[in-house]
Amino acid sequence: MGWDFKEVKLKQSIRINTMNEKKSLVISRLESLGVDLEKIPFLKNGFWIKRSNFSVGATAEYLLGLYSIQEAASQIPATLFNKLENKIVLDSCASPGGKTVQLANLMNNSSVIIALELKKRKMFALTNQLERCRVKNSAVYNMDARKVSKLNMNFDCVLLDVPCSGNPVSDRQWFNRRTSEDILRNSRRQRQILTEAVTVTKNNGEIVYTTCSLEPEENEFNIDWAIKTLNVKVENINCYGKKGLTKIFGKKLHPSIEKCKRIWPDVTQGFFLCKLKKVAQK
Amino acid sequence: MKIINDFVSQFDASISFDKTRIIKSGNRYYYLSRNLKENVPKGFFYIGEYLGTEKGESFFPSFILLEKIAETKANKIIIDKKTAWLFICGRDIFRKGIITGNSVKKGNFTLVLNENNECLGFGKLIMNLRGVPDSKEVAIKNILDLGDFLRREKRQSQKKYNRTAKKN
């Protein structure tokens, strides 16, 4: 598909929460502690940890919510929306909350984010993160993303970082743990989540669909299905990554899927990104 | 609401909350922005700014509430860098680590701030601060510090581990 498997050792990365402190001040505070930072070229507030003699997850600055530890590729999805201020936003599969905090940051902690998480045991990490980062504009529900219409709300922007099969970079045991049936099961669930998300999105609203899977069944095939089945079209995105695949396993997919981005594991983990727009029904 | 005001008053402070925007869900209190109040349906697990939890007659504050108190003329002490690190590791505060403060009387509750005026938690004075500047004794008993965020996660994963061990 355009990538040969290789061992990738990820560098830890952080994202500065500029709603809580100026970026330059956080950088100088971390540097004064002896943390060696490297700007991630394709992210506005993202930095790789080049060297640190201690865990960056145990500094006063971290506990004060001045930055979050967030993998570089997963810092991209929230930045793909056009403009988030004054929008009603849905974060469908929110735990552990890194992207929810990032959305709050991009919204200047105003308006409303509805964050959903199905698993009760994951709610703790999510709410702990929101409290630590001083997020004020979120409401968290212990709810299946496939049932969000029960809230009777409509959203301007929907972030769908859907549960997926992951990839061998973030899970070393990936090849031992996954079967093709798992991938198909995930794909079916992702389509159900996507369908429900389109239902609750306002006309002309934006949906960002992402996975950290490299499997076409969970990415391009789902988007191809969505274009044909739901009232959506693929939008251009300008971010790090290669074009989405339009010819896979002998199948020819909708040409607009080229606008999606596929990030092959290298300086980040593997990732797939797609921005959809809900087309107004006639 | 009274339980929050009573807690705040222990720091010789008061906060004028818009009462209509404070809600209680279970035993937890939250402060909602106007947008949240107007747009969000019931049934949430967490919302807006978490203020703290009521357990019996006791109130366990959030760090968000402590920060709000720190914005007022409350009892505060400022501690040096090394003491700040030890404090968030759960240690009590020695007199010599205190740089300045408006809270001096034994028995007072006081917010603990670092040199950047950021609230790290709170404690209780267990000695009068006047007149003993170089004392190497504990001056402030740590009641709650920011390191609690990490300790909570550890407790949570310990619980999870115990549950798994029990099942097996």
Side-chain angles (χ1 to χ4, degrees), chain A residues 32 44 60 68 80 92 100 105 107 135 142 167 201 249-250 263:
Chain A
S32 73
K44 197 176 170 194
S68 295
L80 299 180
S92 263
T100 319
N105 195 62
M107 295 164 79
V135 171
N142 186 195
N167 64 79
T201 303
F249 309 148
I263 302 177

Side-chain angles (χ1 to χ4, degrees), chain B residues 111-123:
Chain B
L111 296 169
V112 177
L113 277 62
N114 65 10
E115 289 172 85
N116 297 315
N117 270 315
E118 292 157 335
C119 183
L120 306 176
F122 78 102

